[in-house]
Amino acid sequence: MARDLASAAPPRRGRLRVYLGSAPGVGKTYRMLDEARRRQERGADVVVGYIECHGRKYTEGMLDGLEVLPRLHRTYRGTEFTEMDVDAVLARRPAVVLVDELAHTNIPGGTNAKRWQDVEDLLAAGLDVITTVNVQHLESLNDVVQKITGTPQRETVPDEVVRRADQIELVDMAPQALRRRMAHGNVYKAEKVDAALSNYFRVGNLTALRELALLWVAGRVDEGLRDYRAEHNIDRVWETRERVVVALTGGPEGETLIRRAARIADRTAAGQLLAVHVTRSDGLAGASPGALATQRRLVETLGGSYHVVVGDDIPNALLGFARANDATQLVLGTSRRGRITRFLTGPGIGETTVDASEDIDVHMVTHEFTGRGRLPKLGRRHSRQRTVAGFTSGLVLPFALTGVLSQLHHTLNLTTDALLFQLGVVAVALLGGAASALVASLIASLLLNYYFIPPVHTFTIGETNNVIALVVFAMVALTVSTVVDRATRLTGRAAGATAEAETLSALAGTVLRSQDAGQAGGSVIPTLLEHSRNTFGLDSVALLSRADGSVIARSDAAGDGAADVESTEVPVGSDALLILTGRRLPADQQRLLTAFAAHVAAALERDRLAAVAAEVEPIKAADKMRTALLAAVSHDLRTPLAAALASVGSLRSPDVEFSPEDQAELLATADESLVRLNRLVDNLLDMSRLQAGALTLHLGPVHIDEVLPRALDSLDDPEAPVQPLDLELVPAVLADAPLLERVLANVITNALRYNAPGAPVLVSASTHLDQVQIRIADRGPGIPAADRDRVFLPFQRLGDTDNTTGVGLGLALSRGLAEAMGGTLEVEDTPGGGTTMLLTLPTAAEEDEAP
């Protein structure tokens, strides 16, 4: 009812404040309570929805004066637990509610499976929520934390839930300070301190977790800054973090520039290196695909990222990419052009970039190839600047050439003058094309006639030969200039095709490298969208579903301050649409967009097939398991059954008189065979239930020293050498007693099978955080590291040579039962030789142990 009343008039969404810590004990709950007291002093209505003090007296003291709502009691499998009463909080409707341990998993039976979902309900009802979470519970960092600490975290919260928080405050503490707190008993009880300090709370672990927390919060701050700049149309670079962009042309100086840029990025903490290659729509002279591939690998080796951008105006493309990625520094190489080339072609890319850089620092790095380049390759399509320069040259060059030849008219003859004019026309054609060459040839013909063909200083030609020479000159000049212009355009088209191929190659390489880097199990669509945004210099790229218009994925540039933007729509298959926002794209780049859309469509189809395969995989695995069971159990079922039948049949035979000793032996054989058969059938049934997810659990507090004797009694040899060590000193575990007995019996049976003759199997236990670790150690041959996961597969035995002692389900079933009870079963080496099976189970809560 309370939920219905709260949803009758939808209020504004509440605000979420998260205290993020690097490890338990850094003071998140204390800081949360301190903030609650300060708000209460300012007149805010604050209540405690759920708090977990873990017996820490200083934290409990902060509850004085705060209203604590009663918890909801819920019974699960015969055990009573307490949870936050969401309905009571909604009925109370405070201004602020405190909810501890955001990643907690709720006891089955409630509305939501996770506490963060309860918090979402409170926020939707308009309540402000203050909560806590540790960095190891963030979904994206879960596997990283497990590799660092060796402890899996089964309770996680999606990163997006924490990212959406209105405020995130990092609760930080130096590793040494946190260890001192633990040693003083301010975090855990005294009996847990030694184990915690020597395991999870080692200095190295805490330092790594602290760095993860700092980097995650820094990334969240960076996202907030980008959003703020986009909302306020701020396109200036804010130097909050050093991002160094190095421009690559594919020339031999590339490796020098990359290493120089990497050193600049390494000088600051969290500096980023980005390499960019600008592919012109008409091709980039001097760009070697092999050299670019080598330079890309070097960039990635140094921890940077490689990007390809399409743009005819290279300085603007470089600066646009730098501003889109909020770069603070741009590294360019000094020009490889010689002095004559620079004089003829004007300012280079570096000078133009420096002039337009504004708030981005530009480093011009010298290298051994400076000034040693060849003349620029001709044959690129004419830009507007080159066309203007061509016409200007066509007007000026003939007059300049006339002035020079007039001073040499006594030295040179008419043939030489005509050839020099013809050479000038060809030069104009190379620079500006056929139109400018036509202008130059007409002017040159008139000047040649007026100044050099007798009678001079008139447009009259006295000799027929001179008329023919002038006509031939004009025809040759026009023909050569036309051929040169056509070759230029064809070369430009070929270079453009090469540029497109290079861009598509970079796209394919980006997708493949993303999969090889560990994203093969996830979608590459975000990578494709980011690559297309960077390649075409766009503000944003979004992939929308045609069915409902929802956003499947998107990529946005930082600091988008453009006032006038254009949107381009590109179909992606029949189910999606690619929306590109930013500048207008020319026709030649539209072709590239079609190729990008094809890659995105393929990625969408791949994701769909992966989802279908994921649904089919459990069915396939179950079918494979059933097939393997049928193939494997035929002999194992037949052997004890045949032995039992033979023994009973012999006893019932009227033709043979058996002595009392023989009768006892036959009865013992039948009994042993039937016990083996019963154990095998139980294992098969339990394995089938595990595979089908139909195993019923009754979790409750179980003491190891009480379960172990029953497990030993169920062994084939109850007198087997098994030595328990101080099991009564560890607390009770939360487990199903009969299933735990089965797990211990199977693991001990396996240890006895491979143990050294005469050596006892040791069973010991210790506590680690909120878990109990049970170790079953033998002195056998041990298990190679490569086979440690394989021994937990069904129908596997060490060496796979002994098929007379069971179907090989013991360890597989034991791990499945342990995981069903919320624990783990792993393999370790026994010091001095042998194998240790490490069974980890959660510790039962103190209220669960109360009678």
Side-chain angles (χ1 to χ4, degrees):
M1 181 180 295
R3 293 180 188 269
D4 296 336
L5 292 175
S7 60
R12 60 96 183 171
R13 181 176 173 84
R15 296 176 61 82
L16 177 63
R17 182 185 184 116
V18 177
Y19 285 94
L20 176 68
S22 59
V26 296
K28 304 180 302 300
T29 305
Y30 188 94
R31 292 280 291 276
M32 179 177 67
L33 292 171
D34 183 57
E35 173 66 16
R37 292 167 69 95
R38 288 194 292 108
R39 294 196 184 194
Q40 188 179 61
E41 291 173 359
R42 295 196 298 264
D45 183 15
V46 182
V47 302
V48 177
Y50 186 91
I51 200 75
E52 196 66 67
C53 296
H54 298 288
R56 300 163 188 168
K57 60 180 181 180
Y58 296 108
T59 304
E60 292 174 347
M62 295 294 289
L63 286 171
D64 293 343
L66 293 176
E67 179 183 352
V68 181
L69 294 180
R71 296 187 182 185
L72 179 67
H73 292 264
R74 184 171 292 138
T75 301
Y76 178 67
R77 292 177 177 172
T79 304
E80 188 174 273
F81 300 89
T82 61
E83 295 285 2
M84 179 175 65
D85 193 339
V86 180
D87 288 329
V89 175
L90 292 174
R92 171 65 174 76
R93 293 202 61 80
V96 182
V97 57
L98 308 185
V99 182
D100 208 2
E101 298 184 353
L102 182 64
H104 172 75
T105 301
N106 293 331
I107 297 299
T111 304
N112 297 317
K114 292 285 190 176
R115 183 166 293 160
W116 63 264
Q117 295 171 324
D118 293 338
V119 169
E120 287 291 320
D121 289 346
L122 299 179
L123 294 172
L127 306 184
D128 291 346
V129 177
I130 305 177
T131 187
T132 65
V133 69
N134 279 329
V135 69
Q136 66 263 30
H137 296 300
L138 295 175
E139 182 65 44
S140 65
L141 300 177
N142 185 258
D143 56 339
V144 179
V145 173
Q146 182 174 352
K147 291 178 182 178
I148 293 172
T149 64
T151 303
Q153 301 294 331
R154 303 191 180 278
E155 294 186 327
T156 60
V157 59
D159 290 43
E160 187 59 29
V161 173
V162 184
R163 282 199 181 98
R164 288 200 303 264
D166 300 279
Q167 294 180 349
I168 300 177
E169 183 171 334
L170 178 65
V171 183
D172 187 31
M173 179 175 290
Q176 295 80 1
L178 179 56
R179 286 172 60 84
R180 283 196 299 271
R181 286 197 66 198
M182 295 193 64
H184 294 158
N186 295 330
V187 178
Y188 292 126
K189 295 180 180 179
E191 61 271 15
K192 297 183 178 181
V193 171
D194 290 340
L197 290 176
S198 59
N199 291 280
Y200 190 91
F201 286 84
R202 295 193 296 268
V203 173
N205 288 358
L206 296 178
T207 303
L209 292 174
R210 187 186 189 196
E211 183 177 10
L212 284 177
L214 290 169
L215 290 176
W216 193 92
V217 173
R220 177 62 182 88
V221 172
D222 192 52
E223 291 174 8
L225 181 60
R226 287 174 181 240
D227 293 341
Y228 177 85
R229 294 178 61 210
E231 291 171 3
H232 294 78
N233 292 331
I234 300 172
D235 58 358
R236 300 188 310 274
V237 175
W238 286 6
E239 300 181 9
T240 55
R241 184 177 183 182
E242 291 292 347
R243 291 183 176 88
V244 183
V245 173
V246 54
L248 303 178
T249 66
E253 76 283 357
E255 296 186 7
T256 301
L257 301 183
I258 292 170
R259 291 188 174 92
R260 183 73 175 91
R263 290 196 296 271
I264 295 174
D266 288 341
R267 290 174 184 171
T268 58
Q272 286 185 313
L273 173 65
L274 299 91
V276 59
H277 168 59
V278 179
T279 299
R280 296 178 54 152
S281 59
D282 60 353
L284 180 61
S288 167
L292 286 173
T294 301
Q295 292 167 14
R296 184 203 71 224
R297 289 192 292 270
L298 177 59
V299 169
E300 294 171 349
T301 300
L302 295 174
S305 57
Y306 179 83
H307 307 268
V308 177
V309 175
V310 175
D312 289 330
D313 190 337
I314 295 179
N316 283 339
L318 287 174
L319 293 172
F321 175 83
R323 291 192 175 95
N325 288 276
D326 204 19
T328 55
Q329 302 187 60
L330 180 59
V331 177
L332 300 173
T334 53
S335 178
R336 285 182 282 131
R337 301 178 303 159
R339 294 181 181 179
I340 298 177
T341 306
R342 290 199 298 269
F343 174 77
L344 293 175
T345 58
I349 294 173
E351 298 174 49
T352 308
T353 304
V354 171
D355 292 339
S357 62
E358 295 180 354
D359 50 357
I360 297 178
D361 296 336
V362 180
H363 300 265
M364 298 297 297
V365 178
T366 59
H367 49 84
E368 59 178 317
F369 302 97
T370 300
R372 294 171 54 184
R374 299 172 294 179
L375 288 174
K377 291 183 179 179
L378 300 173
R380 291 187 296 206
R381 188 174 56 196
H382 304 301
S383 63
R384 179 177 300 177
Q385 293 84 353
R386 287 189 61 186
T387 301
V388 172
F391 277 103
T392 303
S393 300
L395 293 172
V396 175
L397 185 59
F399 289 100
L401 191 56
T402 299
V404 174
L405 294 179
S406 297
Q407 302 299 321
L408 303 173
H409 68 281
H410 296 296
T411 305
L412 304 176
N413 57 26
L414 178 59
T415 302
T416 304
D417 293 336
L419 290 174
L420 290 175
F421 271 106
Q422 186 173 332
L423 180 62
V425 172
V426 173
V428 172
L430 290 173
L431 181 61
S436 58
L438 177 61
V439 172
S441 65
L442 292 176
I443 296 175
S445 299
L446 294 174
L447 292 176
L448 187 63
N449 181 10
Y450 188 82
Y451 285 100
F452 300 101
I453 297 178
V456 296
H457 300 135
T458 67
F459 289 103
T460 302
I461 302 176
E463 297 182 13
T464 304
N465 288 337
N466 292 338
V467 174
I468 296 174
L470 185 60
V471 172
V472 171
F473 163 78
M475 292 178 62
V476 171
L478 288 176
T479 302
V480 171
S481 62
T482 302
V483 171
V484 169
D485 182 70
R486 179 175 175 79
T488 298
R489 295 182 183 278
L490 291 176
T491 305
R493 292 177 186 175
T498 301
E500 291 185 10
E502 182 183 337
T503 303
L504 293 176
S505 175
L507 168 65
T510 298
V511 175
L512 292 175
R513 288 191 300 275
S514 298
Q515 294 178 349
D516 292 342
Q519 299 180 11
S523 176
V524 299
I525 291 178
T527 302
L528 285 172
L529 297 188
E530 182 180 1
H531 188 80
S532 61
R533 178 181 62 78
N534 286 331
T535 297
F536 296 106
L538 299 169
D539 296 332
S540 68
V541 178
L543 183 63
L544 306 182
S545 171
R546 286 191 175 185
D548 55 6
S550 60
V551 178
I552 301 174
R554 68 179 299 122
S555 174
D556 295 301
D560 176 21
D564 299 324
V565 295
E566 303 245 358
S567 294
T568 304
E569 295 185 0
V570 181
V572 178
S574 59
D575 302 327
L577 199 64
L578 204 59
I579 306 296
L580 304 103
T581 304
R583 64 186 181 90
R584 179 186 293 274
L585 297 178
D588 55 353
Q589 293 184 12
Q590 293 281 354
R591 293 196 302 270
L592 285 176
L593 268 182
T594 303
F596 272 80
H599 278 280
V600 176
L604 277 174
E605 181 65 14
R606 172 183 173 274
D607 291 349
R608 186 187 67 80
L609 293 176
V612 173
E615 295 176 358
V616 173
E617 191 62 31
I619 302 175
K620 179 181 176 182
D623 183 67
K624 182 179 179 181
M625 176 66 68
R626 284 191 292 268
T627 303
L629 280 172
L630 292 174
V633 303
S634 58
H635 176 270
D636 294 273
L637 286 173
R638 188 182 299 112
T639 301
L641 185 60
L645 288 174
S647 298
V648 174
S650 299
L651 289 173
R652 296 187 60 189
S653 174
D655 300 330
V656 182
E657 286 287 339
F658 292 100
S659 65
E661 293 79 6
D662 291 337
Q663 292 180 4
E665 184 178 352
L666 289 172
L667 288 173
T669 301
D671 181 66
E672 180 182 350
S673 299
L674 291 174
V675 168
R676 287 178 55 195
L677 183 62
N678 182 67
R679 184 182 300 115
L680 177 60
V681 171
D682 286 343
N683 284 343
L684 290 172
L685 290 175
D686 285 342
M687 181 61 73
S688 299
R689 294 190 186 101
L690 279 175
Q691 294 293 325
L695 186 66
T696 302
L697 297 177
H698 299 284
L699 298 179
V702 179
H703 290 275
I704 307 300
D705 57 332
E706 296 176 358
V707 175
L708 182 62
R710 295 198 296 270
L712 297 179
D713 290 340
S714 66
L715 300 179
D716 292 338
D717 181 11
E719 302 300 325
V722 179
Q723 180 179 349
L725 300 175
D726 300 327
L727 299 181
E728 68 279 359
L729 299 181
V730 296
V733 297
L734 187 63
D736 184 302
L739 294 184
L740 179 57
E741 178 185 329
R742 294 281 304 283
V743 172
L744 292 175
N746 285 341
V747 175
I748 292 174
T749 298
N750 186 78
L752 290 170
R753 181 178 299 139
Y754 298 106
N755 196 24
V761 171
L762 302 180
V763 182
S764 61
S766 62
T767 58
H768 175 56
L769 297 179
D770 296 329
Q771 298 174 325
V772 173
Q773 296 179 336
I774 307 168
R775 290 177 170 82
I776 297 94
D778 64 54
R779 290 293 181 182
I783 301 176
D787 294 334
R788 290 183 179 178
D789 286 331
R790 190 168 63 88
V791 298
F792 290 106
L793 297 176
F795 325 122
Q796 296 291 326
R797 302 180 192 84
L798 186 62
D800 277 340
T801 56
D802 180 11
N803 293 323
T804 64
T805 57
V807 75
L809 286 176
L811 292 182
L813 178 61
S814 297
R815 171 175 272 189
L817 294 177
E819 292 177 349
M821 293 185 291
T824 60
L825 182 62
E826 305 293 341
V827 179
E828 293 182 349
D829 289 326
T830 302
T835 300
T836 296
M837 290 292 174
L838 175 61
L839 174 63
T840 303
L841 292 170
T843 305
E846 293 182 0
E847 56 265 28
D848 296 334
E849 297 187 56

